[in-house]
Amino acid sequence: MRAFLFNLAASLLATVGVTDAVPTQQSAAAGPFLKTVDSQTWVIGNEIWNMTQGSIYGVKLYYKERDCVGRAVGHYVSYNGAANNLAWTSAAIVKNGTYKGVAYADIKFTAAEGDMHWVIFSGQHGAYQYFVNHALPTLGEFRTLWRLDNTTFPYGKTATKDDLLPPLSEYLPQNKVQDETWLKPDGSGYITKYDFTSWIRIQQYYGVYGQGFGSWYINAGKDYYNGNHLKQELMVHRESSTGDAVQLNMLHGTHFQVSSADVFPDGKLWGPWLWYLNDGSKPDAAAQAKEEFAAWPYAWFEDEAYHTRGSVSGRLLLSDGRPASNAAVFLGDDTPSKTALDMGSTYYYTTYADADGRFEIGGVRAATYGLQAWSNGSTIADVSTSLLRNGVVVSKDKETALGNVAWTVSPKKKLFQVGDFDRYSYGFQYGGAPNQHALVANCPANLNYTYGCSKVSDWCFGQTYRGNWTIRFRVGEDPSSYSGKRNATLIVSLAGYSSGASSSILANDKVVGNMTSGTPQLLSDPSLYRSATAAGEWRYLEFGFDAGILKKGWNAVTFQMTRNTTWHGFMWDSIILEW
């Protein structure tokens, strides 16, 4: 298809002249435009840039007198990986308008599944984009993306990584160890596209760039994304088969989740976001992002449902009297049947409470939501319970003031806690380190931790080898009198889990539970073997046992890994024993 479009463009240029065919940078029309070449080829752009769009791929992106796609694939929209690329059957300008005196055109490309829009302003370096669903199937992955010339865009940047994309010469077939992961030719480590993973909801701008050229995504509104604060996705990488520089816009992704297959209502809107071109300057991209965030929701976007928004505020108070300082706050599905990370059918909002437990979320689409909250560490790092309040109604131009929201915490006595309860591996050795494939292999097979003496960083972020990880702790009273009368509860909070690893849990050498691969609680997420070091999909497990198993003085809880798979296993968040 790509060769066909290139040949078509060349033929048109040779037979009818540049001004009547595919525009080059020098011959681009004034203002935003759509030019129909034939029933499967169109050209869009303005005075600054233009792109030739075929039935699937957008190619020949002219900017600053250069074709920024070159021999790469170009722009396209797809779902379920590259298995289903959307095919455009028609294109039309659906609106011409002006905003603050600047002309723009809303250009719609139609496919069976829905409509891809490019809103192009006169003089704009790039375009706003949005997609309206009409018939997408139940799916896990839906994306728009650019695959661009690798010499023009050799670097990739996200909020957490800014680096040269690995040279294609390092991707040696004999060194491939798993999905998109290769041992470096010199044996010094690994190269993998998953090292460029980052957190979706903290992004200000991200993309690929080089000397004189930058291509960026700026997603000021993030309510159309699936997932919560822990949602992370692949954003830029090197295409291993061709060397293309890849800039991904993962609108609905699953790269680090157990699953996230959702049904979308007709009319579900993703966007608008800004695709921004510049000279490769990161300060300029940052300044543009600041403007976009200040302007969201976009006043120029004429859609009634998009502008039907209100706000939610409240104060989270724990049942022990403390404010829920810095708690993570999430507005999601009412009476949910999925975890917060797995939700994705409609619109979702995240924030954090302040030190006094107060929060406010603005720009919320009118609907009924479920409010969730959980510890994000800090002064409430001991809180293992979560909050869910259903029936939160948001109305247009109104503040839904919830007042004080009560959050029940466990009244039980803690015998020990290892790690902050925050759904991340932060605080442990390597926890939250820059993404790196096989980092978990640096954690030991056997580990001894003494509560009250060891540092949290003495516990490693992930367990992947067969062996025993033991927590030693003291009990000041004699638990024997509680036998048959009082239960102890071991809480295991996992920041992630990758399949093929099972563990027996022992208290003073007696089996009190197990974590078994393949069970509903331990379906696999790809976090540990896809370079994640902070989180995958959070799991909460409880194991109750007779307190009489414990004794006065020294006791031990052991996680005995009985089955393992290379680079797979348990990523820890927090371990708590209470009665």
Side-chain angles (χ1 to χ4, degrees), residues 314-329 352-359 373-383 385 387 403-409:
R315 186 186 184 210
L316 304 174
L317 290 176
L318 303 178
S319 57
D320 61 11
R322 291 180 291 167
S325 300
N326 306 308
V329 183
Y352 294 95
D354 65 14
D356 199 36
R358 300 182 188 278
F359 70 91
W374 55 88
S375 167
N376 190 45
S378 68
T379 60
I380 61 167
D382 60 311
V383 176
T385 60
L387 169 73
N404 291 335
V405 181
W407 177 348
T408 302
V409 301

Side-chain angles (χ1 to χ4, degrees), residues 197-464:
T197 296
S198 192
W199 309 100
I200 282 284
R201 293 183 179 270
I202 68 168
Q203 296 301 314
Q204 301 293 308
Y205 69 98
Y206 70 95
V208 291
Y209 69 97
Q211 184 65 41
F213 293 87
S215 178
W216 312 98
Y217 280 133
I218 301 172
N219 302 75
K222 303 183 188 298
D223 53 359
Y224 45 82
Y225 285 132
N226 61 318
N228 61 0
H229 313 63
L230 287 88
K231 183 71 173 68
Q232 52 190 322
E233 265 303 338
L234 186 60
M235 296 183 176
V236 297
H237 66 89
R238 170 82 68 213
E239 174 56 47
S240 62
S241 61
T242 63
D244 297 356
V246 181
Q247 180 185 1
L248 277 171
N249 186 28
M250 295 298 303
L251 298 170
H252 190 283
T254 64
H255 275 113
F256 294 86
Q257 297 168 239
V258 171
S259 68
S260 187
D262 286 303
V263 177
F264 307 108
D266 187 6
K268 165 69 188 275
L269 173 74
W270 283 276
W273 61 87
L274 177 63
W275 163 60
Y276 182 59
L277 288 166
N278 73 357
D279 62 359
S281 166
K282 288 175 283 187
D284 173 71
Q288 186 65 46
K290 186 176 181 179
E291 290 184 20
E292 300 303 322
F293 277 76
W296 183 87
Y298 294 118
W300 54 260
F301 186 57
E302 296 184 11
D303 179 276
E304 183 178 355
Y306 175 83
H307 289 290
T308 304
R309 298 175 184 264
S311 64
V312 178
S313 65
R315 186 186 184 210
L316 304 174
L317 290 176
L318 303 178
S319 57
D320 61 11
R322 291 180 291 167
S325 300
N326 306 308
V329 183
F330 175 72
L331 272 183
D333 296 344
D334 190 37
T335 60
S337 60
K338 297 181 177 183
T339 68
L341 184 63
D342 287 341
M343 296 179 197
S345 291
T346 55
Y347 304 97
Y348 304 92
Y349 304 87
T350 60
T351 191
Y352 294 95
D354 65 14
D356 199 36
R358 300 182 188 278
F359 70 91
E360 182 173 1
I361 306 176
V364 179
R365 281 175 172 256
T368 301
Y369 295 91
L371 173 73
Q372 297 190 40
W374 55 88
S375 167
N376 190 45
S378 68
T379 60
I380 61 167
D382 60 311
V383 176
S384 60
T385 60
S386 301
L387 169 73
L388 171 62
R389 176 167 171 172
N390 291 311
V392 177
V393 178
V394 178
S395 303
K396 183 179 180 180
D397 299 330
K398 293 184 178 179
E399 178 185 0
T400 301
L402 300 177
N404 291 335
V405 181
W407 177 348
T408 302
V409 301
S410 173
K412 300 177 183 178
K413 177 183 178 180
K414 280 186 174 60
L415 299 179
F416 70 74
Q417 179 175 357
V418 179
D420 288 355
F421 205 99
D422 57 10
R423 303 192 180 186
Y424 297 97
S425 67
Y426 298 148
F428 299 132
Q429 187 178 19
Y430 307 122
N435 290 341
Q436 179 183 330
H437 176 69
L439 185 62
V440 70
N442 292 342
C443 293
N446 296 289
L447 189 153
N448 290 307
Y449 184 98
T450 302
Y451 180 67
C453 297
S454 299
K455 303 186 298 292
V456 173
S457 58
D458 291 334
W459 190 265
C460 210
F461 84 110
Q463 185 180 7
T464 190

Side-chain angles (χ1 to χ4, degrees), residues 34-278:
L34 164 68
K35 180 178 180 63
T36 299
V37 178
D38 60 34
S39 62
Q40 291 190 318
T41 312
W42 306 269
V43 184
I44 62 173
N46 61 12
E47 314 93 325
I48 307 297
W49 65 275
N50 63 78
M51 181 197 72
T52 303
Q53 176 68 61
S55 61
I56 294 177
Y57 300 108
V59 297
K60 284 192 173 297
L61 169 62
Y62 284 104
Y63 179 62
K64 294 171 61 179
E65 302 184 3
R66 180 180 296 186
D67 177 7
C68 295
V69 170
R71 299 180 61 84
V73 169
H75 185 275
Y76 60 104
V77 181
S78 68
Y79 59 93
N80 295 333
N84 301 92
N85 296 329
L86 270 59
W88 312 117
T89 57
S90 65
I93 295 178
V94 294
K95 181 175 176 57
N96 282 308
T98 59
Y99 181 69
K100 294 185 176 180
V102 181
Y104 71 87
D106 186 333
I107 301 169
K108 178 178 74 174
F109 288 90
T110 299
E113 297 87 347
D115 302 322
M116 179 73 187
H117 292 253
W118 300 66
V119 181
I120 306 171
F121 280 79
S122 181
Q124 184 178 44
H125 292 247
Y128 293 98
Q129 299 174 312
Y130 65 98
F131 185 88
V132 181
N133 171 61
H134 293 306
L136 281 170
T138 302
L139 58 77
E141 184 175 289
F142 177 56
R143 63 190 186 169
T144 75
L145 68 155
W146 282 101
R147 286 172 58 176
L148 296 165
D149 176 62
N150 57 24
T151 59
T152 306
F153 303 96
Y155 290 88
K157 184 191 183 307
T158 71
T160 52
K161 188 176 178 68
D162 184 358
D163 206 352
L164 183 71
L165 297 173
L168 186 59
S169 60
E170 293 193 355
Y171 294 74
L172 302 179
Q174 65 270 29
N175 288 349
K176 189 171 185 178
V177 297
Q178 65 172 33
D179 166 45
E180 292 298 314
T181 305
W182 290 259
L183 183 66
K184 289 184 177 180
D186 63 4
S188 62
Y190 298 90
I191 52 174
T192 174
K193 68 182 185 180
Y194 298 110
D195 282 355
F196 277 92
T197 296
S198 192
W199 309 100
I200 282 284
R201 293 183 179 270
I202 68 168
Q203 296 301 314
Q204 301 293 308
Y205 69 98
Y206 70 95
V208 291
Y209 69 97
Q211 184 65 41
F213 293 87
S215 178
W216 312 98
Y217 280 133
I218 301 172
N219 302 75
K222 303 183 188 298
D223 53 359
Y224 45 82
Y225 285 132
N226 61 318
N228 61 0
H229 313 63
L230 287 88
K231 183 71 173 68
Q232 52 190 322
E233 265 303 338
L234 186 60
M235 296 183 176
V236 297
H237 66 89
R238 170 82 68 213
E239 174 56 47
S240 62
S241 61
T242 63
D244 297 356
V246 181
Q247 180 185 1
L248 277 171
N249 186 28
M250 295 298 303
L251 298 170
H252 190 283
T254 64
H255 275 113
F256 294 86
Q257 297 168 239
V258 171
S259 68
S260 187
D262 286 303
V263 177
F264 307 108
D266 187 6
K268 165 69 188 275
L269 173 74
W270 283 276
W273 61 87
L274 177 63
W275 163 60
Y276 182 59
L277 288 166
N278 73 357

